Every structure is written in structure tokens, then in C-alpha cells.
Amino acid sequence: MKTIPGDNTNKRKILTFIAVYSVITLACTGVYFQTIFYDFTRHDDNIIIINNLAYLKDLSNLPDAILTDAWYRHKEIELYRPLQNVSFMMDAQWGGDIKFVTHLTNLILHILCCISIFHLLILLRFRKKYALAGALIYAVHYLFLHAVIWGPARGDLLLSLFSFLAMITFILLLQRGRWYYNVLHILTFALALFSKETAITLPVIFLFYLLLFNKKRLWDKNNLVLVASYVIIIIIFYSLRDLSIAKSQQAVGIGPLILNLRTIPEVIIKFFIPLNFSTMPSFDLLATLLGTLVMIGMTTFFVVKKKFFNNTILFSLLWFGLFLLPGIAYRPEFASYTYEYLDHRDYLPCFGLLMILLFPVQEIETGSRKAYFPKLILAFFIVIIAYLISMNFYLHPIYKNPFAYSQSAIQKNPRCSMAYFIHGNEIYNMGKKEEALSDFTNAVKYYPKFYDARYNKAALLFQKKMFPEALEDLNYLLEAKPDYNTQSYFMRGIIEFDLHDADASKRDFENVLKVDPGNQGAKQYLSNIEKIQSNISPALQLAAKFNEAGINEGQKGHYKEALDFFNKALAEAPDFDQAMVNAGNCKHALGDLEGACVDWKKAAAHGNKSARELIGQFCK
């Protein structure tokens, strides 16, 4: 039987693709295999996955998941990630260790992205060996470990995969004109958009591709079908988005864009060296300057070597800039106190940088007649890939657990409130309460509106019987967020009861019972307050009011006025030990330590525990 030449060609193609896919899969798995056994970071993954696990396991919630925000809540935050929501539900169906399944799914998506990159590079006129080199660089690049390992970066992996596929199907549609490429292209665009809003830039990318590589097809009738499809999908997406998320309170537009411009040089320098590499980075002057120098160097190279600057390089720059733009045009109010940007967002834009790296090398090899040059290029890529692998292995343990994750952030970004919060929770679980209190104190120092950190700080102060300090944090919290939780009111009620502020304590326990009518602790305290108030003398009642007024003034920093109220309280009730403590606190704040110690010693003589602690700390 004769061999049909076409059959052999097809077999060789299939075997080649199998070999390429295997190499890419082995590269991804080899670098990231260890990470699928990592813990969660407790930065959003606990909120999205752990806290919603029962919800995720119930597939009947699937329609609802499409109409919730990224935390599976109704209009509480402003992030809409429906495809991410669905993907986490699929993870939950496997059962077992949800952390393992989450990491494994991210790794699988990364493999699929790298395979897509191989095909996309070929369609963008890169030779196969350069396409494979590009895919392998992506497979092992340390910069992309943020997207691969951090569970909540799932949306960016999905966005990238379907953006690559949408670009592939668009080019194939132009080349071959088959109807099913139309369908696949529209489908992948929709999936990209429902992964993350950044995909709104894809039609612009498609337009530039037409202008740069296939201008004669610009006015094809089929393009009208595509444009109409994009418009319909975008309208559907934003209609569902408006039904699902909270109205944005964050800054979006030119102002944030200007503030975030430093992201561009910092991402560029990180693509080459892991400078300012952190789980939650802030802007770094050295990274900004070196990144700017790289940008100047690249510009100079293409100006001097004009033959290397063509439509491929222009398209690469547009890809990088347009996909980076949505992220840097957005700046949350907490940016200066948590992170200026997150590097998992670099996954898709950096495909543009990859092309800028590959294209000149390919052109240099094409123009070279020296026999050894291909071997030199091979050695070049082997060195680069070895460097990237070593850096990846060195750096990815920062995602091993919440402790490592938060330490990485604090080391590079010492004003990162979120990192202090995560770190504080971890060391609290280790039994290190003093260090945890320091972390929560730093968290609210750098971001006063970090209510969870403020609550944790108040709870630790409460445990240490540091009631005035705990009261200050609880007052701040409940004034800003009156519906934060009932435990905040319960704690404050106990503190106010201990400080002899019966009226305020009664109000707080009544607030607890409004939300939790069966709370026996609140009922018992209310009963005790009623008994005390029925037996309290008029003088002590007046003293309690003066004491409450003094506390209010003290919380405002008006220590002289507060001291006057505490003295009035003691004039009405000379044995009012808490007023003695409060008076001492004011004197201490005013610099009169000797007078403070006198008041605290009087209170200690009446059995006040807080006074004894203050004497031990400040009085010798």
C-alpha cells in the first residue's frame, strides 16, 4: 500500500503538537507542582472560597452566583467576576481539600494559557521555535507566579486564556473565513468579558490588528456582524453587572491614571529582574527609575535600529498598554495604605513585552549568515529559561501560607495595613497576643478605616482589660459602621458597665438584643443594670453622668475639659474608683505623671484592677 504524503504530514503535525504540549505541560508542572499543596493566603481567598464553601458546593446556586459580586454577595463590593464565581463552584464539586483543587485548577489554566500563547505567536508570524520559547518563558516566568498561585487571581487567568483564544480565532477567521470561527470568536470574547472587565479593550486590539496586518479586510461585511455581537455582549454584561455589584466609590479615570503611571516602568523592570517583588507592593523609587531607563533604552534601540521597529513591535506595545490601562485607571481609596498595584494583573499585558523580546532576536537570526548563530540563540533561551526557573523556585514560597504572604508584603511595603492584619491573625493563632496587638495597631495606624483590624485590636485590648483603649476603638468602629456586628456592642456594653456608665451600657445591650433576641449574656447584664439603677443614689447617678461626659471629652483629646468632669464626678461620689482612674489618665496625658499616680493609687485602694496595672506600668 502506498503512503499518502498528506497523511504523513498530518501525523507529523499531530506528533509535533503533542510534543510541544508535553514540554509546556512539564515546564509548568515542574515549576509549580510544589505550590498546589500550598495553603491559602487569607487575602480574599478566605472570603471568596472558605467562607462560601457550603454555598459553592450547592450547584442550585449557580444562577445566583452569576448575579452576585466577586464575594458571592449582593451589591456589597464593586467587582463582578461571574465566570470566576462559576469556576470556584466547579472546584467545590470535587470535594476534599479545596485549597489543593483551587491551586490545581489555576495551574491547569496556566498550562492552557501557555499552549494558547504558542499558537498565537505562530499566527503572529513567529517561527515555531520562537513560539515554543515564548510559551516556555511564560510557563516558568517568576512574574506570573502571582496569578498562578494566588487563588483570587483566577479571574485574570480566565481573562487571559479567553483573550488569547479570542485573538487566535479572530486571526483564523480572517485567514480562513469559516463560519465556525465566527462562532468561536464571539464565544471566547464573551467568556473573556465575563471573566473580567479588562476584556472591554479586546475589540480595540482586534481593530489595531486589522489596521496593522490586514487592512484590506477592514471593511468586510462580516466585521459588522462582529461589532454588533461585541455591542450586544457588552450591553448584556454591564446590565448584569449593574444588577450584581455595589456602585463604585473608588476613583476611576485620568486622576488615578496619573497617580498610577509608575506602574508601567515597575512592571517592565519586573519582567527582567524581580525588583520590588512582593505580594502587595507599593511604588519603589529604584524600580521606577530602572524601569524608566529600560523604557528609554528600548526606545533608543528601536530609533537607532529602525528596521526592527515594524507593525509587530507596534502591535506588541499596544497589547501591553491597552491591557494594562484598565488596571492603572482605577485606584481604590486604600491604595496608599495597602498596595499600589497587584502583579497578578500583569499576566495578560506582559504578552506584549514577550513579543518585544522575541521579535528582534528572531530578526537578528534571520539576517545572520553565521552557522553557529542558531546554537547561540538556543543557548540564549536556555540561559533565560534557567534564570526564570531559578527565580521562580526562589520566590514562590512567599505564597506558601498566610504568614509568608504577609511577611513578604511587610518587608517591601511597611505601610501595608492588609499585611499587618493577615500577619496579626496568624501570630494570634500561634498564641502571640502582644505581637498580634502590635500588628493590628499598625493596620489601623496606616488605614484608620480598616474596621476588621480595628475590631481585632479592640478585642485584644478587651482581653487585656485595657478598657479605655478598647472603648476608643469600639466607639470609632460603631460610629462608622453601626451594623458591624453584635459582639462589638456586647464588648462595649461590658466596658461601659465596668466604667460605671450604666445608661450607655444599657443602650448597647439593648442593641444586641435587637439583632439577637435570645442573647442570654445581654439579658443578664440588663437585669444587673436595672438592679443597680434602682438602688443607686442621686449623687452617684449625677457622678456617672459627669464621668460619661468626661469620657466623651477625653476621646476627643480635650483632656483639661475631661479632667474637670471627672473632678465633678468625684465631688459627687468621692469613692467612684473609675472616675479616679479616668482622672489619672487625663493627668498622665497632660504630663502630670505624679498626679496621675496619686489618682491611680486611690483607685487601686478601692480594688480597681485597671489602676493596679497602670501603677505597675507607669509609677515607680
Side-chain angles (χ1 to χ4, degrees):
M1 181 181 292
K2 291 183 178 181
T3 303
I4 301 172
D7 288 346
N8 286 335
T9 302
N10 288 334
K11 285 179 182 179
R12 281 198 298 271
K13 281 184 178 180
I14 292 170
L15 290 173
T16 299
F17 286 140
I18 290 173
V20 167
Y21 296 169
S22 298
V23 169
I24 291 171
T25 302
L26 285 171
C28 293
T29 306
V31 171
Y32 290 107
F33 179 76
Q34 182 182 357
T35 69
I36 63 178
F37 302 100
Y38 278 3
D39 195 358
F40 281 156
T41 63
R42 304 302 188 273
H43 179 198
D44 288 356
D45 44 23
N46 56 327
I47 298 172
I48 296 171
I49 301 170
I50 297 174
N51 295 355
N52 291 299
L53 199 52
Y55 176 93
L56 296 174
K57 288 181 177 179
D58 186 354
L59 279 177
S60 66
N61 291 320
L62 190 60
D64 180 70
I66 295 171
L67 291 173
T68 60
D69 58 36
W71 288 359
Y72 298 96
R73 299 172 184 174
H74 293 280
K75 295 195 172 188
E76 288 195 25
I77 64 169
E78 56 205 40
L79 302 178
Y80 184 53
R81 305 284 184 271
L83 198 57
Q84 173 178 286
N85 286 2
V86 172
S87 74
F88 286 136
M89 294 192 81
M90 296 302 103
D91 287 349
Q93 304 313 306
W94 290 95
D97 185 357
I98 189 62
K99 297 188 289 290
F100 174 84
V101 177
T102 301
H103 289 312
L104 179 61
T105 302
N106 274 23
L107 175 56
I108 291 169
L109 288 170
H110 178 53
I111 293 169
L112 294 174
C113 283
C114 293
I115 290 172
S116 300
I117 284 168
F118 170 74
H119 286 286
L120 181 53
L121 285 171
I122 291 173
L123 289 169
L124 290 169
R125 304 175 189 176
F126 287 87
R127 295 200 293 276
K128 284 183 181 178
K129 66 179 181 180
Y130 284 91
L132 177 58
L136 290 175
I137 287 171
Y138 242 74
V140 302
H141 203 298
Y142 57 82
L143 182 56
F144 306 135
L145 66 84
H146 299 287
V148 180
I149 306 175
W150 190 46
R154 175 73 58 83
D156 283 81
L157 289 172
L158 291 166
L159 164 71
S160 300
L161 175 60
F162 292 116
S163 294
F164 293 142
L165 292 175
M167 192 73 238
I168 288 169
T169 52
F170 183 74
I171 296 172
L172 290 173
L173 176 61
L174 292 174
Q175 291 179 353
R176 303 178 188 178
R178 303 290 176 84
W179 66 268
Y180 49 82
Y181 287 124
N182 243 335
V183 175
L184 290 172
H185 174 67
I186 293 167
L187 176 62
T188 51
F189 169 73
L191 291 171
L193 186 59
F194 276 79
S195 297
K196 194 172 181 179
E197 299 93 333
T198 305
I200 195 74
T201 60
L202 273 171
V204 182
I205 294 287
F206 303 146
L207 174 61
F208 278 116
Y209 179 84
L210 278 172
L211 291 171
L212 295 173
F213 299 108
N214 211 333
K215 198 171 183 179
K216 64 182 181 181
R217 301 289 302 275
L218 183 61
W219 302 108
D220 279 9
K221 292 181 181 179
N222 187 62
N223 291 341
L224 294 176
V225 175
L226 294 181
V227 170
S229 301
Y230 301 152
V231 171
I232 292 169
I233 291 167
I234 290 168
I235 290 172
I236 292 171
F237 172 79
Y238 277 96
S239 297
L240 294 175
R241 183 177 182 272
D242 287 344
L243 292 173
S244 307
I245 66 169
K247 298 296 181 184
S248 178
Q249 301 296 317
Q250 313 301 343
V252 179
I254 299 298
L257 180 64
I258 294 170
L259 290 173
N260 291 332
L261 277 178
R262 291 176 64 181
T263 304
I264 298 172
E266 295 209 7
V267 170
I268 289 172
I269 194 62
K270 284 183 186 181
F271 189 75
F272 297 101
I273 57 173
L275 188 63
N276 192 32
F277 197 89
S278 172
T279 51
M280 289 182 275
S282 61
F283 290 131
D284 177 79
L285 181 59
L286 180 60
T288 303
L289 291 175
L290 289 179
T292 303
L293 287 175
V294 171
M295 292 169 65
I296 293 170
M298 292 169 64
T299 303
T300 303
F301 173 80
F302 288 117
V303 168
V304 173
K305 301 288 186 178
K306 292 184 174 65
K307 66 178 181 179
F308 292 117
F309 189 84
N310 63 3
N311 287 349
T312 299
I313 294 297
L314 182 55
F315 182 73
S316 303
L317 291 169
L318 289 166
W319 183 288
F320 175 71
L322 287 172
F323 280 122
L324 201 62
L325 182 64
I328 63 176
Y330 164 80
R331 187 176 177 86
E333 65 167 312
F334 54 75
S336 300
Y337 312 105
T338 49
Y339 47 81
E340 301 280 2
Y341 58 95
L342 290 172
D343 281 318
H344 71 274
R345 299 170 184 161
D346 306 337
Y347 192 92
L348 181 57
C350 280
F351 178 69
L353 294 182
L354 177 69
M355 290 190 287
I356 293 171
L357 172 68
L358 292 176
F359 183 76
V361 179
Q362 178 175 271
E363 290 300 294
I364 291 169
E365 184 191 5
T366 301
S368 174
R369 297 179 180 179
K370 296 178 181 178
Y372 65 84
F373 207 83
K375 293 181 180 179
L376 186 63
I377 296 296
L378 177 62
F380 170 73
F381 281 119
I382 289 173
V383 169
I384 287 178
I385 290 170
Y387 160 71
L388 295 173
I389 290 172
S390 63
M391 286 293 99
N392 199 315
F393 275 115
Y394 175 72
L395 292 166
H396 69 54
I398 63 178
Y399 280 89
K400 188 173 185 178
N401 52 46
F403 190 77
Y405 181 87
S406 55
Q407 278 196 318
S408 165
I410 292 170
Q411 183 180 5
K412 297 290 184 180
N413 181 7
R415 293 175 58 87
C416 183
S417 295
M418 177 60 73
Y420 285 114
F421 177 70
I422 296 169
H423 193 265
N425 285 329
E426 288 303 298
I427 61 175
Y428 176 82
N429 292 332
M430 297 175 189
K432 300 178 181 179
K433 294 184 179 180
E434 288 294 335
E435 293 179 40
L437 178 58
S438 175
D439 279 335
F440 296 136
T441 300
N442 279 327
V444 299
K445 172 185 175 183
Y446 296 121
Y447 184 46
K449 294 181 181 179
F450 199 159
Y451 302 124
D452 289 344
R454 191 171 289 278
Y455 172 79
N456 286 3
K457 179 191 173 193
L460 278 173
L461 291 170
F462 179 83
Q463 291 177 25
K464 290 168 63 67
K465 305 293 184 183
M466 298 174 68
F467 288 158
E469 294 85 350
L471 183 62
E472 183 178 349
D473 281 311
L474 289 169
N475 285 341
Y476 185 103
L477 172 64
L478 293 172
E479 181 178 350
K481 296 273 291 183
D483 58 346
Y484 183 77
N485 65 17
T486 56
Q487 188 59 31
S488 301
Y489 285 102
F490 192 88
M491 268 198 296
R492 190 168 73 171
I494 293 173
I495 292 171
E496 291 159 340
F497 183 84
D498 187 79
L499 297 177
H500 305 290
D501 190 351
D503 290 336
S505 180
K506 183 178 180 180
R507 286 194 298 271
D508 278 335
F509 288 122
E510 287 173 346
N511 282 327
V512 171
L513 292 175
K514 287 177 183 177
V515 179
D516 182 12
N519 192 302
Q520 294 302 315
K523 290 179 180 179
Q524 184 61 52
Y525 268 104
L526 282 174
S527 176
N528 293 339
I529 290 168
E530 288 175 5
K531 290 177 183 177
I532 291 169
Q533 286 183 329
S534 64
N535 296 323
I536 196 169
S537 66
L540 195 54
Q541 289 183 32
L542 182 58
K545 290 182 179 180
F546 283 134
N547 185 62
E548 182 179 1
I551 291 171
N552 291 333
E553 290 297 323
Q555 289 170 353
K556 298 174 185 176
H558 303 159
Y559 298 115
K560 289 183 179 180
E561 293 82 353
L563 183 58
D564 288 341
F565 279 115
F566 295 135
N567 287 334
K568 289 178 180 178
L570 290 168
E572 295 295 332
D575 295 331
F576 193 174
D577 59 294
Q578 191 55 50
M580 297 175 192
V581 173
N582 294 340
N585 290 342
C586 285
K587 290 177 182 178
H588 179 251
L590 293 168
D592 182 9
L593 180 59
E594 184 178 348
C597 289
V598 170
D599 285 334
W600 291 335
K601 287 174 182 177
K602 288 180 183 177
H606 285 78
N608 191 291
K609 294 180 182 178
S610 298
R612 291 172 188 165
E613 292 175 2
L614 290 166
I615 291 167
Q617 187 175 358
F618 296 106
C619 305
K620 296 181 180 180

